Amino acid sequence: MLFSETRPSTMTTLPKLALYNTLTRSKDIFEPADPARVTMYVCGPTVYNFAHIGNARPAVVFDVLARLLRRLYPNVVYARNITDIEDKIIAAAKEQGVPISAVTEKYADIYRKDMGTLGVLLPDLEPKATDAIDDMVSMMERLIASGHAYAAEGHVLFHVASYAAYGALSRRDMDDMIAGARVEVAPYKKDPADFVLWKPSTPEQPGWESPWGRGRPGWHIECSAMIEKHLGETIDIHAGGIDLQFPHHENEIAQSTCAHGGKLFSRFWLHNGFVNIEKEKMSKSIGNVLLVHDLIKEAPGEAIRLALLNGHYRQPLDWTAEGLAQARRMLDRLYGALRTLGDVEAAASDAVPEAFMEAMLDDLNTPKALAVLFDLARQANTATDAGEKARLKAALLGAGGLIGLLQQDPEAWFAGGGIAPHIDADEIESLIAARNAARKAKDFKEADRIRDELAGRGIQIEDGPQGTQWRVAQMGPVAS
Ligand SMILES: [Zn+2]
């Protein structure tokens, strides 16, 4: 049920869903090819270690898109794959002395649980690459038969020059692409730009029998084959992180289009922006890789989710400790409003305010949608009329549900690791300065009083060589 705050619902029509399509570089109206079966594919994790916050962004963003599509269409098939054969997996298994399935099953399970903590629902389909080897072989045979691929020394390679539209998604010229893909010049390649579809395995490496000998697939062919197998030749939406645009998505397009006689592969391509950490690129060498598995021990998953949705998905996101603290305070405010409506019965469980829906339909404008949520919370805090309260509660829950927020009991939020409300960093700093001044003046009674006041507000202070540090004490077990 949709309604307007200011206009009767009968007078309003919502705009159509508009999504920024990387393929056209414009915000296009989204109409599925078949409204009775909307298909979406998102490149999933390569499961050999823990997901970092950059990996979590597409999982959360496209979970929001899947929720929105499900509200608009009766049947959405959302597939997010598991890449469970890849050289990094083989290396990890070898190092641990276990079969690759021991590594992949463990980390796929951790991935599902960690993303679940961030409110990411399971996709409708979660195909594994190793279950689609036959489909990959079949696709490679067709590509070879049509002259788009060739076999050489146990490898199968895609011949990039055979596909004139190569580069259309990333809009790079061939020299850029060769440099960007860090292509290997290998004696079995006709052309340096050609990429591997299949490669030979040594006896100790995992492998499958194929017309080209025992081997294993390259990464790109996995997605093309799984999409063909589970969703069809043309899908509505293909999505993933911006880092996958080239070469991965470009190669998927080349393989699928050529295997399907030139048929359009995906009608829409969506890419989320990078995640930086405190203004720096996340990298192992800097040592600032932030794992979701660690982060959820320190902060509620819902706050991490909100911090990821607090910026527009296409923009780069600067992940900061302050941004996460802010997300906790935002949830304190929203759950605070729901708490004031505690004994009010919501008017309708699936009500989504029109202004919220409009923001979401405009290329998933979550910052604007969140502003609508805060407006509702403000109204809830001052509402006196029973009908108005019932309407506001329904609106908060309905809108929150659409982006995967506000679905727990407000008391559980406040008991489960929500930051203490109304923490103002400047105020804390000035209290600490006043305490230090009191100590300097040997007014220990006043210094202790300030320390107790801070403790009462959930602030722990520590005196050290760098001066006085403060942090918000954990309020209780982290909700998950
Ligand atoms: Zn992919």
Side-chain angles (χ1 to χ4, degrees), residues 402-431:
L402 190 56
I403 51 172
L405 298 173
L406 304 184
Q407 302 305 296
Q408 53 177 322
D409 187 305
E411 299 311 326
W413 165 260
F414 285 110
I419 208 165
H422 315 305
I423 283 176
D424 178 336
D426 289 342
E427 197 191 343
I428 304 292
E429 299 285 357
S430 70
L431 278 168

Side-chain angles (χ1 to χ4, degrees), residues 56-363:
R57 194 178 191 194
V60 167
V61 163
F62 300 119
D63 173 70
V64 167
L65 177 57
R67 288 169 189 251
L68 179 63
L69 290 171
R70 286 194 191 107
R71 173 156 296 250
L72 300 174
Y73 300 99
N75 180 24
V76 176
V77 187
Y78 168 25
R80 188 189 64 204
N81 75 294
I82 297 275
T83 293
D84 61 347
I85 175 71
E86 215 263 339
D87 286 359
K88 290 191 212 78
I89 296 171
I90 297 174
K94 193 179 169 192
E95 204 182 290
Q96 295 164 38
V98 294
I100 58 164
S101 60
V103 172
T104 58
E105 279 164 24
K106 175 185 165 186
Y107 286 104
D109 191 46
I110 291 171
Y111 179 83
R112 286 183 205 106
K113 283 183 182 144
D114 287 353
M115 293 307 129
T117 304
L118 307 190
V120 175
L121 304 173
L122 283 176
D124 303 291
L125 298 171
E126 198 184 46
K128 288 195 295 184
T130 54
D131 288 340
I133 302 288
D134 290 349
D135 308 272
M136 295 178 212
V137 168
S138 149
M139 188 174 264
M140 285 184 273
E141 284 177 323
R142 280 174 277 149
L143 288 171
I144 292 172
S146 58
H148 292 291
Y150 56 94
E153 297 177 32
H155 292 73
V156 178
L157 291 122
F158 187 90
H159 191 36
V160 168
S162 77
Y163 178 53
Y166 191 81
L169 180 71
S170 55
R171 300 197 182 180
R172 298 179 183 213
D173 65 30
M174 195 54 83
D175 291 343
D176 275 359
M177 287 192 283
I178 291 172
R182 292 183 208 94
V183 294
E184 255 180 278
V185 181
Y188 49 81
K189 279 187 182 183
K190 278 189 193 168
D191 191 290
D194 295 351
F195 59 88
V196 168
L197 305 179
W198 187 262
K199 56 187 162 188
S201 291
T202 59
E204 60 277 4
Q205 283 172 329
W208 289 261
E209 293 306 327
S210 82
W212 316 285
R214 188 174 170 279
R216 59 191 192 279
W219 173 35
H220 315 301
I221 193 77
E222 297 179 5
C223 287
S224 282
M226 285 186 276
I227 289 171
E228 178 188 72
K229 180 180 184 180
H230 294 285
L231 299 179
E233 294 187 343
T234 300
I235 61 172
D236 290 311
I237 298 172
H238 193 311
I242 187 83
D243 53 319
L244 299 186
Q245 196 183 103
F246 181 82
H248 183 56
H249 288 164
E250 203 72 75
N251 291 354
E252 280 190 44
I253 291 175
Q255 296 158 166
S256 296
T257 309
C258 294
H260 301 142
K263 231 184 203 178
L264 182 67
F265 174 40
S266 180
R267 302 171 55 247
F268 277 72
W269 282 88
L270 270 64
H271 292 98
N272 66 271
F274 279 115
V275 177
N276 292 318
I277 306 289
E278 309 279 358
K279 294 200 169 68
E280 274 192 297
K281 194 175 168 11
M282 186 171 18
S283 84
K284 269 191 192 142
S285 58
I286 299 175
N288 62 351
V289 176
L290 215 50
L291 302 179
V292 175
H293 202 66
D294 295 332
L295 215 46
I296 55 177
K297 291 171 192 152
E298 294 162 18
E302 193 171 353
I304 298 168
R305 182 183 182 92
L306 178 51
L308 287 171
L309 295 175
N310 210 4
H312 191 267
Y313 78 92
R314 281 196 286 123
Q315 299 301 318
L317 181 83
D318 187 31
W319 182 272
T320 63
E322 174 46 33
L324 179 57
Q326 188 197 350
R328 294 175 78 152
R329 292 193 293 269
M330 289 166 82
L331 284 165
D332 281 342
R333 264 199 280 158
L334 295 171
Y335 274 114
L338 280 172
R339 183 150 71 173
T340 65
L341 302 171
D343 47 9
V344 174
E345 184 149 352
S349 61
D350 64 344
V352 174
E354 196 165 285
F356 186 92
M357 198 62 177
E358 272 177 24
M360 294 303 292
L361 292 172
D362 181 16
D363 195 30

